[in-house]
Amino acid sequence: MRLARDERGLIGKVLVLWLVLLALVVIAAIDGASILMSRVRTADLARDAAATGAETYARTGERAEARAAALAVVEAGDEDALLEDFEVTRRGEVTVVVTDETGTLLVGRFGVLDELTRSRATATSGD
């Protein structure tokens, strides 16, 4: 009987530990999915902005109008995304760089992992 008294509460402690570990795994999975979806969304946004910029440049021949069109696509697609760079080559190809921050539950709270929450995509479109 004495042995049973010494193990009192052990099952509860193990159960709490497993629940905490399960919660951390679920949060990590949610953050991982958020980061992955943000990177895909940023790449799609960069591709669309480059295509729109190239079409506008081919139609008007004006770099400023092409940049404005690409910027409008980025702003319409995600209000937090930034058109970081915009280039038009001599051949009329448009290259854009789009960046975005990913909202996460846990990953963004650690400075070491902060780089994981930044999505950056480069796309080129044109002739």
Side-chain angles (χ1 to χ4, degrees):
M1 274 302 202
R2 186 129 178 103
L3 184 62
R5 268 191 225 161
D6 292 343
E7 294 180 8
R8 211 174 317 157
L10 185 62
I11 298 296
K13 291 175 185 175
V14 170
L15 182 62
V16 168
L17 178 65
W18 277 107
L19 289 175
V20 168
L21 287 175
L22 179 64
L24 287 174
V25 167
V26 168
I27 289 171
I30 291 170
D31 280 358
S34 294
I35 290 168
L36 179 64
M37 292 304 295
S38 176
R39 290 183 184 209
V40 168
R41 191 173 52 246
T42 303
D44 288 345
L45 197 55
R47 188 184 67 240
D48 293 345
T52 302
E55 289 171 11
T56 304
Y57 184 76
R59 189 172 20 109
T60 65
E62 295 290 324
R63 290 175 191 251
E65 286 185 37
R67 186 180 197 291
L71 184 59
V73 168
V74 171
E75 289 175 349
D78 187 352
E79 59 189 30
D80 295 330
L82 298 172
L83 181 63
E84 194 172 287
D85 192 22
F86 180 87
E87 275 185 40
V88 178
T89 65
R90 291 182 188 185
R91 297 184 338 200
E93 291 180 331
V94 173
T95 301
V96 298
V97 177
V98 177
T99 58
D100 194 13
E101 286 285 326
T102 304
T104 59
L105 297 172
L106 193 61
V107 172
R109 310 266 187 251
F110 299 102
V112 175
L113 302 175
D114 198 33
E115 190 62 33
L116 292 175
T117 63
R118 291 192 187 101
S119 300
R120 182 183 170 117
T122 303
T124 301
S125 183
D127 275 346

